[in-house]
Amino acid sequence: MDESVIQSKIEEIKVLAEKENINISKELDHLKAKYAPSSEDTWEKVLLARNIDRPNTLDYINLICDDFVELHGDRHFGDDPAMIGGIGTINGQAVTFIGHQRGHNMKENIERNYGWAYPEGYRKALRLAEQAEKFHRPVVTFIDTAGAYPGVNAEERGIGEAIAVNLKKFSVLKTPIISFIIGEGGSGGALGIGVSDKIYMLENSIYSVISPEGFASILLRDAERAKEAAEIMKVTAQDVDEFGIVHGIIPEVPGGAQIDPAFTAEEIKKTILKDLKALMSKTPNQLIRYRSKKIREIGHVNENNAKVQDLFGIFGKVFGRS
Amino acid sequence: MDESVIQSKIEEIKVLAEKENINISKELDHLKAKYAPSSEDTWEKVLLARNIDRPNTLDYINLICDDFVELHGDRHFGDDPAMIGGIGTINGQAVTFIGHQRGHNMKENIERNYGWAYPEGYRKALRLAEQAEKFHRPVVTFIDTAGAYPGVNAEERGIGEAIAVNLKKFSVLKTPIISFIIGEGGSGGALGIGVSDKIYMLENSIYSVISPEGFASILLRDAERAKEAAEIMKVTAQDVDEFGIVHGIIPEVPGGAQIDPAFTAEEIKKTILKDLKALMSKTPNQLIRYRSKKIREIGHVNENNAKVQDLFGIFGKVFGRS
Amino acid sequence: MSSEFNIGRKNKNNSSDFPNPFARVTDTTCRECHHKIKREKLVEELQVCPECGFHMPMHPYDRIATLVDEGSFTEFSQELTSLNPISISGYEEKLTQARGKAGLNDAVVTGIGSIDGRQTVLGVMSFQFMGGSMGSVVGEKITRAILKGADEGLPVTLVTASGGARMQEGIFSLMQMAKTSNAAALLDGLGIPLFIVLTHPTTGGVTASFAMLGDVSIAEPGALIGFAGQRVIEGTLKEKLPEGFQKSEFQLKKGFVDMIVPRAEMRKTLSFLLKTHESESKGWMSR
Amino acid sequence: MSSEFNIGRKNKNNSSDFPNPFARVTDTTCRECHHKIKREKLVEELQVCPECGFHMPMHPYDRIATLVDEGSFTEFSQELTSLNPISISGYEEKLTQARGKAGLNDAVVTGIGSIDGRQTVLGVMSFQFMGGSMGSVVGEKITRAILKGADEGLPVTLVTASGGARMQEGIFSLMQMAKTSNAAALLDGLGIPLFIVLTHPTTGGVTASFAMLGDVSIAEPGALIGFAGQRVIEGTLKEKLPEGFQKSEFQLKKGFVDMIVPRAEMRKTLSFLLKTHESESKGWMSR
Ligand SMILES: [Zn+2]
Ligand SMILES: [Zn+2]
C-alpha cells in the first residue's frame, strides 16, 4: 500500500468522522502527516527550514519537558542568547538540553542574533555538556543556525577555536548525545553542537557545508543562483539521510512543523526516549567507540583504485577491549 | 660560631685576597650573603620586595634555564603580558615556568601592567599548568604581584572566577609544583599561581592577604599608617616562614637580589633541582594527597576549647590507599 | 545576646527545636528605597522589600528555615571558634561582640538538611558576623561541609554572603581560599554536585574561591557579586563604574551565574537541582 | 606534471630519493611588496621575501625538506585520491588539473620523519592544491596521520594551509572537521602531543577543527588565520576590519597561538618541543 492510498483512506475517514460529529481530526492530521509524501522541491524546503514561525529550540523544550530550568553563561566572557541550554526532565528522566535559539519576530531575532552564536555560545554549550557528563545526564542538542556569527568580535574571541574544541570534546563525551537539526544546519556553526551518537533531521530541515547563497556566489559565480545551488549541494533531510550521515528523519505535518509544533515535538520526544533506552545501556567506552567509528567512516576516497577504510587498530589502543 | 663572626672572617679573607691580587670577591660576596643577618626592618623589606630593579620572572628564567621558549595566550580572550609562561630546561630537565611579570622601568611596567594580571593571565597560567600535567612536566611558578588587577574589565571577565578555578585545579594538578615568591605576594592575585607542593619566599619578599596600605586604610583607618600595618600583619618571609606556611627562605645578597641576581638565581635553581628529585619520585596521588593535607592544615581554630584537625576520613575515599 | 537566639543555641543538636524562623526580625526601613515595613509583612515576604524587591541579608537560621524540610536540619561544627593567629590586638573583643550581635560563633552555619526529602549538606554564611569575612573558622567549616558531602556522597549547597577575607587573621585568612577550593576540587573528583547560592553581598576572597566553583551558581536578584571592591576600582584607578556593575544581573550577562532566582522560589529551584542531580541516575554508567 | 615532481613520485617509499628541495622554485615577484627575487636567493631564504619578510606558500615537499633530518622522511597514504561523493559536475576535471599543477594527489602530504633524531608524524598541507581545501582525502589523511601517532606513540606535527572545506564534496567535507577533531581527541586521551604550525593562509573549516587543537600552536609571521573570510565579514555585515585583523600577530595578542616563529627557526623550535615533550620524561609517573 503506497502513501497516496493511505492519504485517500485518511481523507475518507475524516469525512465520515465529520458526518458523525466525532472530533478525531487532529489525530487524523497526524496520521496524514506521517504518511504525507515529502515535498519534492528543494528550495521550498530551504524556505521552510528558515521559516520564522517554525518552532525553535525553546518551543520544543517546552513541549517536550515536564520541567525545565535554563542555565546561563560560559564562565569566561558572557552569556550568548543565540545559544541556550539547561536541564529538563522528560517523563522524569533528567536531560541536558543545548540549542541554537532563533526568534519568531524581528525583536526576538535581534535579541537572539538570528541564532548566529558567538564563541561564548559554543563555550557555554561545552560547559553544559561537560556538566551533563559529570553527572551522567544525557545530552540533547537542537541545531538551528545559518552558521556561527561571521563578525569581527567573534573572530577576536576565537570562533574557530571554540567550534574546534567542541568537535573534539563532544566526540569523546562520556554520556549519550542525541541531536536534531530542526531548521537550518549551516556549516561549522551547526556541527559545533552536532557531534553525537544519534543525529536526526526534521523533514523540512537542511544541512550543508555552506549556505546555498554562499555556494552559488563562490562556485557558480552568481549569488542569485542559490536555488540551483541548493539542488546541486543536496542539502535536504532526504539527501543527507541517503548519504548515511544522519540516523533518520522526523516527520512534520504537511506545510511544515509551524502548523502543528506539538506533533513534531511528540515525534522528537518519542525518538529521544527510544534512543536513550538503547544508549543508556552502553558503557561510556562503548558510546565513544561507536561515535568515533561512525565519524571515522564518513568520506569517499579510494587508494590504488579500491575504496578503503583503515582504522590502524587505534580504537583498541584508545578504548581497551571493553 | 654565629653569623657576625662569619661575616668578619669573610671580610678578613677579602682584604687578604685583594692584597694578593686574587680575584675571589664574587665568591666571597656569595658566602657573605649566605650568612648575612636578615634586615630587621619590616618596611625596608616591603620596599625591597617592590624595588623596580629587583630581578623579575623572566630574569630568573633566563638565569636558570639552559633554553626557554615562551608560550602565549589563554585560548579564549587574549595574551596577558603581566603573566608569562613557557617551557624551559634546567640541566636538561624540561620544566613549565609560570610567573607574574613586572618591568624594570616605566615603559616596561606599562606594557606589563605592573604585574597586575587580568583573568586571561590566570587562565593562561592554568592552560600551561594543565599542558605540563598532560606531559608530566613539573611546574615552577614565580609570584611577583601586588594583586590581580582591580579594574572594571577584570571584573567583567571574571577575575574572581579565574583565581578560584586556579586554586581548585592547581591543588589537584597531577604534576609537581614549586613556587617562589620573588617580590610582592599580594592577596588572591599571588595565591592564584601559588598553590604548590613546595613554596619558598625570597629573603626580601613579602606575602600578605591585603597590601599594608589597604590594611592601614581599612583596619587602622589611615592609609598613611602602612608601615605600622606591615608590622602588625607580619608579612615578611621570616614571619610567614615562622607560621609554617612556606617551606623555606631563599637567600639574597645584602642589599637585595638586584645587587647580584645570579646569586639568588643559583639558589633557586639548586632548590628546584633538589625538590624535583624528591617530588618526581612520588605518584600523582601521593603529590595531591600531600598537597591537599598541607593546605587543609592551615588555620587556627578550636572546638570545645581544644585545637582540632578533623579530616573526616575523606582522603582515603578520594585517593584510594595508594 | 537575644533570647530568640538562645532558643536555637540551647537545642543545637536537636533539629525539632530549631529556632523559630524570623524570631529576630523586627519592623524595618528598607535600606534601598526607605520604605517602612512591618515585621509581619517582612516575614511573609521572606525579608524581601515589597516595594523595591531588595533582598535583605538574612540570619542563617532564618534562611535555613526557608529552604529545608521542617525539622530536617542538624547543625555540625557549631562549637568551632577562632584563635588569634597573628596576635592582632582587639581581635578577640571584636569576635565576642560579633558573637553577641549575630548570635553565632562565627560567620557560617553548617549542617545537613533535606529539601523535599532529598538530603544536602548546607552551609549558610552570615553577613552580620564581621561582614561575613572568611578566617580560619569559616574556612574550616566550609571545608568540613564540602568534605562531609564527599564523605557521605551528599550534594553540597553553600549560601554565600561575605565581604572577603578576614584581615585580622592575616596570611591565614588568605590560605582559607586555597583550603576551601581544594575541598571543592576533591568533591568534584568524586562527581558530587556543589550548588552555590550567591546573596548580597559576596565579594573578595570568597568570590575568588569556593563561591565561584559551583556546578550550578544561583544568584538572588540585585546581589553585589565581585572580587575587587567598588571603592578600590573607583578610587585607586579612577575608573567609572558602569550601570549595575557587579550586580547579579551583570554577572548573569557576563556569564558567571547560571540563573537569578527570587528568594521565594529558591527552595523550589534547589529541589529541582537536587532531583536532577540524584546519584541513582549514575546507575547505568560504570565509572 | 613537472619532472621534479616525478622524481619524488617514482620513489615514493624510498626516503633517500626524496625530491630535490626547492626544485620547483623559480624566479619570483613577491606578491606583497612586488620585489623581484632570483631563484637562488629565494631558496636560500626558504621562500621568505628578503625585502618585506612575506612568508610565501611552500610546496609540501620543500617544507618537509626544511624541517626533517635528511633522508628521514617516509610518506604514507600517498595514493589516496578523491571520489565525487555528491556528483558535482566538473569536480573530477578540477582534481586532475590540481594534481598536475601541484604535483600531488591531494592537498596534504603525510608521513613520518625525524628532527634532530626524534621521530614525528608529519602532515603538511598545500595551498596550491585547490586552495588547500579539506575534502574526504585531506580529512582521511590528517586523521590517519593523527591516529598513526596514537598507534605508534609518536608526536604529531601538522603544518596547515587551507581556504577551508572543499565545497565540491558538500556535507562530506563538513564531516571531515568532526573526523579530524575526533582523531585529535583520541590522541589527546593517550597523552601524545599535537603540534600545529599555522601558515598563510589557514581559514574556514580547517581553523574550526584540527588547526586549533594543538597542544602547542606556532604561527609563521604574517599568516592569515581565521574562521570567517574577510570578504564575508566586510561584505555581509558591513563591519570594518581592524588593522592586522586575523594575522598571526593579531592571533598571538588574542591568545590563540603560542608563538610566532620565522621559517628559518621553525626546525629548531620544533626540535625543542619534541625534546621537551619526550615520553621518557613520563617514566617517573604511573598513569
Ligand atoms: Zn525597598
Ligand atoms: Zn616582499
Side-chain angles (χ1 to χ4, degrees):
Chain A
M1 194 156 64
D2 79 359
E3 285 165 354
S4 63
V5 178
I6 298 174
Q7 290 291 320
S8 57
K9 289 270 173 218
I10 293 171
E11 277 307 315
E12 279 172 36
I13 299 168
K14 208 168 171 181
V15 173
L16 274 170
E18 267 163 28
K19 247 184 222 162
E20 305 294 323
N21 213 5
I22 305 166
N23 187 6
I24 53 165
S25 65
K26 196 165 185 189
E27 288 77 0
L28 285 172
D29 276 347
H30 291 178
L31 210 61
K32 207 173 143 186
K34 200 146 184 183
Y35 292 98
S38 297
S39 163
E40 295 299 318
D41 188 79
T42 296
W43 192 245
E44 198 179 285
K45 278 176 195 292
V46 173
L47 295 181
L48 267 175
R50 296 171 173 175
N51 188 311
I52 201 165
D53 294 326
R54 207 172 159 78
N56 59 34
T57 292
L58 281 173
D59 292 333
Y60 284 123
I61 287 173
N62 289 328
L63 286 164
I64 288 166
C65 290
D66 327 323
D67 276 307
F68 176 70
V69 163
E70 190 176 344
L71 303 176
H72 293 266
D74 71 342
R75 296 291 182 275
H76 282 87
F77 182 83
D79 181 56
D80 187 347
M83 178 81 79
I84 66 103
I87 303 171
T89 54
I90 312 183
N91 295 359
Q93 164 69 48
V95 171
T96 287
F97 288 91
I98 294 165
H100 303 102
Q101 183 64 27
R102 296 173 108 149
H104 286 310
N105 52 50
M106 182 67 95
K107 185 175 159 287
E108 281 179 17
N109 263 327
I110 286 169
E111 190 190 316
R112 299 293 184 176
N113 201 28
Y114 295 84
W116 278 329
Y118 275 93
E120 49 271 27
Y122 290 94
R123 291 178 186 134
K124 169 164 73 174
L126 180 60
R127 180 177 78 84
L128 295 179
E130 292 187 332
Q131 186 196 69
E133 177 184 49
K134 177 173 175 185
F135 299 111
H136 312 282
R137 272 194 305 269
V139 175
V140 169
T141 75
F142 292 116
I143 295 162
D144 192 18
T145 186
Y149 188 64
V152 168
N153 290 347
E155 292 291 320
E156 284 180 337
R157 301 200 289 273
I159 186 67
E161 193 267 357
I163 291 173
V165 170
N166 279 17
L167 301 185
K168 175 181 169 179
K169 298 210 169 165
F170 274 75
S171 85
V172 293
L173 198 78
K174 292 182 177 172
T175 199
I177 313 171
I178 308 171
S179 294
F180 297 89
I181 302 177
I182 60 174
E184 202 170 356
S187 179
L191 192 61
I193 58 167
V195 174
S196 344
D197 297 302
K198 294 275 185 180
I199 178 161
Y200 299 90
M201 291 180 72
L202 266 53
E203 191 180 321
N204 296 302
S205 70
I206 62 170
Y207 197 12
S208 63
V209 65
I210 186 173
S211 67
E213 290 80 357
F215 187 96
S217 107
I218 299 172
L219 285 193
L220 308 181
R221 287 156 207 280
D222 181 0
E224 303 295 304
R225 289 167 70 188
K227 228 167 136 168
E228 189 184 334
E231 297 274 0
I232 295 171
M233 292 168 74
K234 304 193 174 60
V235 299
T236 68
Q238 295 69 31
D239 292 327
V240 178
D241 186 40
E242 214 154 274
F243 290 145
I245 285 173
V246 295
H247 293 84
I249 297 175
I250 305 291
E252 304 177 20
V253 297
Q258 75 284 0
I259 291 172
D260 187 352
F263 171 75
T264 305
E266 187 59 31
E267 293 290 322
I268 291 173
K269 183 172 173 175
K270 279 190 297 191
T271 305
I272 293 172
L273 289 171
K274 179 187 59 113
D275 281 351
L276 283 187
K277 214 175 151 188
L279 293 171
M280 290 172 78
S281 72
K282 306 222 182 295
T283 66
N285 262 5
Q286 285 172 330
L287 284 177
I288 298 169
R289 193 193 317 209
Y290 170 83
R291 205 183 296 149
S292 298
K293 276 192 168 163
K294 173 87 176 101
I295 298 166
R296 179 85 182 80
E297 279 162 17
I298 300 177
H300 284 262
V301 298
N302 64 37
E303 192 160 21
N304 298 323
N305 295 318
K307 217 186 148 167
V308 288
Q309 279 308 329
D310 177 357
L311 294 177
F312 277 110
I314 178 59
F315 284 175
K317 200 155 207 162
V318 176
F319 299 114
R321 275 157 209 285
S322 68
Chain B
M1 191 156 66
D2 79 0
E3 284 166 353
S4 62
V5 179
I6 298 175
Q7 290 291 322
S8 57
K9 290 269 175 219
I10 292 171
E11 277 307 317
E12 281 173 34
I13 299 168
K14 208 168 170 178
V15 173
L16 276 169
E18 267 163 29
K19 249 187 218 159
E20 304 294 323
N21 213 5
I22 303 167
N23 187 7
I24 53 164
S25 65
K26 195 163 186 192
E27 287 78 359
L28 285 171
D29 276 346
H30 291 179
L31 209 61
K32 205 173 147 189
K34 198 146 186 181
Y35 292 98
S38 296
S39 162
E40 295 297 320
D41 187 77
T42 297
W43 192 245
E44 198 179 285
K45 279 177 194 290
V46 173
L47 295 180
L48 267 176
R50 295 171 174 174
N51 188 310
I52 200 163
D53 294 325
R54 206 171 160 76
N56 60 33
T57 293
L58 280 172
D59 292 333
Y60 285 125
I61 288 173
N62 290 328
L63 286 164
I64 288 167
C65 292
D66 328 323
D67 275 308
F68 176 70
V69 162
E70 190 176 345
L71 303 177
H72 293 266
D74 71 341
R75 297 288 181 276
H76 282 84
F77 182 83
D79 181 56
D80 187 347
M83 178 79 80
I84 66 103
I87 304 171
T89 55
I90 311 182
N91 295 1
Q93 165 70 46
V95 171
T96 287
F97 288 91
I98 295 165
H100 303 103
Q101 182 63 27
R102 295 173 109 149
H104 285 309
N105 52 50
M106 182 66 94
K107 187 177 159 285
E108 282 179 17
N109 262 328
I110 286 169
E111 192 190 316
R112 299 293 185 176
N113 200 29
Y114 296 84
W116 277 331
Y118 275 93
E120 49 270 28
Y122 290 95
R123 292 179 185 134
K124 168 164 74 174
L126 179 60
R127 181 178 77 84
L128 295 179
E130 292 188 332
Q131 186 195 69
E133 177 183 48
K134 177 173 174 184
F135 299 111
H136 312 282
R137 272 194 306 268
V139 175
V140 170
T141 75
F142 291 115
I143 295 163
D144 192 17
T145 186
Y149 187 64
V152 169
N153 291 346
E155 291 291 320
E156 285 181 336
R157 299 200 289 272
I159 186 67
E161 193 268 356
I163 291 172
V165 170
N166 279 16
L167 301 186
K168 174 180 168 180
K169 298 210 169 166
F170 275 76
S171 84
V172 292
L173 200 77
K174 292 181 176 172
T175 199
I177 313 171
I178 307 170
S179 294
F180 297 89
I181 303 178
I182 61 175
E184 202 170 355
S187 179
L191 192 61
I193 57 167
V195 174
S196 343
D197 298 302
K198 294 275 185 181
I199 178 160
Y200 299 90
M201 290 180 73
L202 265 54
E203 192 180 319
N204 296 302
S205 70
I206 62 171
Y207 196 13
S208 63
V209 65
I210 186 173
S211 67
E213 290 81 358
F215 187 96
S217 107
I218 299 172
L219 286 194
L220 307 180
R221 286 154 207 280
D222 181 0
E224 303 296 302
R225 290 166 69 188
K227 228 168 136 164
E228 188 183 335
E231 298 275 359
I232 295 171
M233 293 167 76
K234 305 191 173 62
V235 300
T236 68
Q238 296 69 31
D239 292 328
V240 179
D241 186 41
E242 213 154 276
F243 290 144
I245 285 173
V246 296
H247 293 83
I249 297 175
I250 305 291
E252 304 177 19
V253 296
Q258 73 284 1
I259 290 172
D260 187 352
F263 170 76
T264 305
E266 186 59 30
E267 293 291 323
I268 292 173
K269 183 172 172 173
K270 279 191 297 193
T271 305
I272 293 172
L273 289 171
K274 179 188 58 112
D275 281 351
L276 283 187
K277 214 174 153 190
L279 294 171
M280 288 171 79
S281 72
K282 305 220 183 295
T283 66
N285 262 6
Q286 285 171 332
L287 285 176
I288 298 170
R289 193 191 321 208
Y290 170 83
R291 204 182 298 149
S292 298
K293 276 192 169 163
K294 172 88 176 99
I295 297 166
R296 179 85 183 79
E297 280 162 17
I298 301 177
H300 284 262
V301 298
N302 64 35
E303 191 161 21
N304 299 321
N305 295 319
K307 214 183 150 172
V308 289
Q309 279 308 328
D310 176 357
L311 294 177
F312 278 109
I314 179 59
F315 284 174
K317 199 155 209 163
V318 176
F319 300 113
R321 279 157 206 284
S322 69
Chain C
M1 215 175 272
S2 73
S3 61
E4 295 91 347
F5 175 67
N6 282 330
I7 297 168
R9 297 272 297 167
K10 244 191 300 195
N11 304 289
K12 61 182 179 291
N13 285 319
N14 187 339
S15 56
S16 64
D17 288 303
F18 191 82
N20 272 341
F22 302 106
R24 301 161 57 86
V25 176
T26 56
D27 294 356
T28 301
T29 301
C30 174
R31 106 161 54 134
E32 293 294 303
C33 73
H34 307 293
H35 182 69
K36 285 191 200 338
I37 315 153
K38 285 278 179 207
R39 183 190 180 284
E40 290 68 30
K41 183 69 182 164
L42 208 52
V43 168
E44 189 191 318
E45 300 283 341
L46 307 178
Q47 291 181 265
V48 175
C49 173
E51 195 66 17
C52 73
F54 178 61
H55 281 55
M56 304 177 185
M58 280 179 107
H59 192 280
Y61 288 126
D62 295 350
R63 181 165 316 255
I64 291 166
T66 69
L67 293 178
V68 302
D69 301 338
E70 210 181 323
S72 75
F73 187 76
T74 307
E75 189 171 351
F76 57 70
S77 303
Q78 193 178 10
E79 297 298 325
L80 228 58
T81 52
S82 194
L83 296 168
N84 188 355
I86 67 165
S87 310
I88 289 270
S89 79
Y91 181 40
E92 277 102 344
E93 292 71 18
K94 203 142 195 177
L95 283 168
T96 307
Q97 268 177 22
R99 281 184 199 121
K101 192 180 144 210
L104 296 168
N105 273 332
D106 213 304
V108 68
V109 170
T110 54
I112 294 181
S114 61
I115 302 177
D116 292 334
R118 293 186 183 84
Q119 279 202 307
T120 180
V121 175
L122 189 57
V124 180
M125 297 185 78
S126 165
F127 192 70
Q128 289 114 314
F129 192 103
M130 293 186 73
S133 59
M134 175 159 70
S136 299
V137 171
V138 170
E140 176 67 18
K141 287 178 82 171
I142 293 283
T143 300
R144 285 192 191 183
I146 296 173
L147 294 185
K148 186 89 168 170
D151 203 33
E152 303 199 0
L154 290 177
V156 178
T157 306
L158 301 175
V159 183
T160 66
S162 175
R166 187 168 297 166
M167 284 170 296
Q168 290 89 343
E169 296 192 21
I171 197 71
F172 290 95
S173 68
L174 185 68
M175 292 301 141
Q176 305 311 310
M177 292 168 62
K179 189 169 167 174
T180 53
S181 301
N182 173 249
L186 301 179
L187 189 75
D188 183 43
L190 292 171
I192 299 168
L194 176 62
F195 303 121
I196 298 290
V197 178
L198 301 152
T199 77
H200 180 77
T202 297
T203 60
V206 166
T207 295
S209 62
F210 67 91
M212 282 292 141
L213 297 176
D215 291 296
V216 179
S217 289
I218 309 171
E220 285 199 329
L224 184 80
I225 302 160
F227 179 55
Q230 303 206 342
R231 259 179 304 173
V232 174
I233 300 172
E234 275 185 319
T236 316
L237 298 163
K238 317 284 177 218
E239 288 199 50
K240 211 184 131 44
L241 303 183
E243 178 74 16
F245 183 61
Q246 291 182 330
K247 289 299 179 79
S248 300
E249 297 69 19
F250 170 94
Q251 295 293 0
L252 184 75
K253 197 167 158 248
K254 295 299 174 189
F256 296 101
V257 304
D258 278 295
M259 48 185 152
I260 296 175
V261 175
R263 194 168 285 170
E265 290 169 34
M266 194 60 80
R267 180 191 156 92
K268 198 180 122 217
T269 303
L270 288 172
S271 178
F272 179 79
L273 289 174
L274 289 171
K275 189 175 88 182
T276 52
H277 286 78
E278 257 180 335
S279 49
E280 287 119 287
S281 64
K282 291 183 197 172
W284 62 279
M285 207 153 232
S286 62
R287 297 192 66 198
Chain D
M1 216 175 268
S2 73
S3 62
E4 295 92 347
F5 175 64
N6 281 332
I7 296 168
R9 298 270 298 165
K10 246 190 299 192
N11 307 289
K12 61 186 177 290
N13 285 318
N14 187 339
S15 57
S16 65
D17 288 303
F18 190 82
N20 272 340
F22 302 107
R24 301 161 58 84
V25 176
T26 56
D27 294 356
T28 302
T29 301
C30 173
R31 106 162 54 135
E32 294 293 304
C33 73
H34 307 291
H35 183 68
K36 285 191 201 339
I37 315 151
K38 285 278 178 206
R39 184 191 178 283
E40 290 68 31
K41 183 69 180 164
L42 209 52
V43 168
E44 190 191 318
E45 300 283 341
L46 306 178
Q47 292 180 263
V48 175
C49 172
E51 195 66 18
C52 73
F54 178 61
H55 281 55
M56 302 176 187
M58 281 180 108
H59 191 279
Y61 287 126
D62 295 350
R63 177 156 330 245
I64 291 166
T66 69
L67 293 177
V68 302
D69 300 341
E70 210 182 321
S72 75
F73 187 75
T74 306
E75 189 171 352
F76 58 69
S77 303
Q78 194 179 9
E79 296 298 324
L80 227 57
T81 52
S82 194
L83 295 169
N84 188 356
I86 66 164
S87 310
I88 289 268
S89 78
Y91 182 40
E92 277 102 344
E93 292 72 20
K94 204 142 195 177
L95 283 167
T96 307
Q97 267 177 23
R99 280 183 201 125
K101 193 178 145 209
L104 296 168
N105 273 332
D106 212 304
V108 68
V109 170
T110 54
I112 294 181
S114 61
I115 302 177
D116 292 335
R118 293 186 183 84
Q119 280 201 305
T120 180
V121 175
L122 188 57
V124 180
M125 297 185 79
S126 164
F127 192 70
Q128 291 114 313
F129 192 103
M130 292 185 74
S133 60
M134 175 159 70
S136 299
V137 171
V138 170
E140 176 67 17
K141 287 178 82 171
I142 293 284
T143 300
R144 284 193 192 182
I146 295 172
L147 295 185
K148 186 88 169 171
D151 202 34
E152 303 200 0
L154 291 177
V156 178
T157 306
L158 302 174
V159 182
T160 65
S162 174
R166 187 167 299 166
M167 285 171 294
Q168 290 88 345
E169 296 192 20
I171 197 72
F172 289 95
S173 67
L174 185 68
M175 292 301 140
Q176 305 312 309
M177 293 167 62
K179 189 168 167 175
T180 52
S181 301
N182 172 250
L186 301 180
L187 189 76
D188 182 46
L190 292 172
I192 299 167
L194 176 62
F195 302 121
I196 298 290
V197 178
L198 299 152
T199 77
H200 179 76
T202 297
T203 60
V206 166
T207 295
S209 62
F210 66 90
M212 282 292 141
L213 297 176
D215 291 297
V216 180
S217 289
I218 309 170
E220 285 199 329
L224 184 80
I225 303 160
F227 179 54
Q230 303 206 342
R231 259 179 303 173
V232 174
I233 300 172
E234 275 185 318
T236 316
L237 298 163
K238 316 283 176 219
E239 289 199 49
K240 212 183 131 43
L241 303 183
E243 178 74 16
F245 183 61
Q246 291 182 330
K247 290 298 179 80
S248 300
E249 297 70 18
F250 171 94
Q251 296 293 0
L252 184 76
K253 195 166 160 249
K254 296 299 174 187
F256 297 101
V257 304
D258 279 296
M259 48 184 151
I260 296 174
V261 175
R263 195 169 284 171
E265 289 169 36
M266 194 60 78
R267 181 193 154 93
K268 198 179 122 218
T269 304
L270 287 172
S271 177
F272 179 80
L273 289 174
L274 289 172
K275 189 174 89 183
T276 53
H277 286 78
E278 256 180 336
S279 50
E280 287 120 285
S281 63
K282 291 181 196 173
W284 62 279
M285 205 154 232
S286 63
R287 295 195 64 200

